[in-house]
Amino acid sequence: MGLFKERIFSGFSLSNFTRVRDVLASNHIWYTTKVRDLSGGTGLGASRAVTGSFGIKPDYSKEYEVLVKKKEIGRASCRERV
């Protein structure tokens, strides 16, 4: 992943994404997030800018990730599993 961060969650469920963030925050574990919008693109080079999001289910239009510091991975891994 990154030099100092490790991905602990990746998925399409907003409720699971929120639950993971809540558990980390309540245990004072630093985290960062990434959200990728897969439903469309902008600019001339994006293929979906021309075709749109035809065929993509709305439930799968966004991909969510939660990352923690590598030194915190042990603390984050022993928390509630999603």
Side-chain angles (χ1 to χ4, degrees), residues 18-59:
T18 303
R19 191 170 0 144
V20 169
R21 288 183 16 210
D22 290 346
V23 169
L24 293 172
S26 67
N27 288 285
H28 307 289
I29 298 173
W30 178 92
Y31 67 92
T32 188
T33 62
K34 290 184 181 180
V35 179
R36 286 188 197 87
D37 188 354
L38 305 173
S39 65
T42 58
L44 297 174
S47 63
R48 286 199 181 101
V50 175
T51 61
S53 59
F54 179 74
I56 296 178
K57 293 183 180 181
D59 292 343

Side-chain angles (χ1 to χ4, degrees), residues 4-82:
F4 302 106
K5 295 182 262 184
E6 188 74 29
R7 180 176 49 214
I8 62 165
F9 173 81
S10 178
F12 296 96
S13 170
L14 179 59
S15 62
N16 287 346
F17 173 68
T18 303
R19 191 170 0 144
V20 169
R21 288 183 16 210
D22 290 346
V23 169
L24 293 172
S26 67
N27 288 285
H28 307 289
I29 298 173
W30 178 92
Y31 67 92
T32 188
T33 62
K34 290 184 181 180
V35 179
R36 286 188 197 87
D37 188 354
L38 305 173
S39 65
T42 58
L44 297 174
S47 63
R48 286 199 181 101
V50 175
T51 61
S53 59
F54 179 74
I56 296 178
K57 293 183 180 181
D59 292 343
Y60 299 105
S61 65
K62 290 191 180 2
E63 181 181 12
Y64 304 96
E65 287 187 347
V66 178
L67 302 100
V68 297
K69 291 180 180 178
K70 284 190 177 185
K71 66 181 183 177
E72 297 280 2
I73 195 74
R75 287 182 54 207
S77 297
C78 66
R79 303 296 175 206
E80 175 183 331
R81 297 277 179 184
V82 176

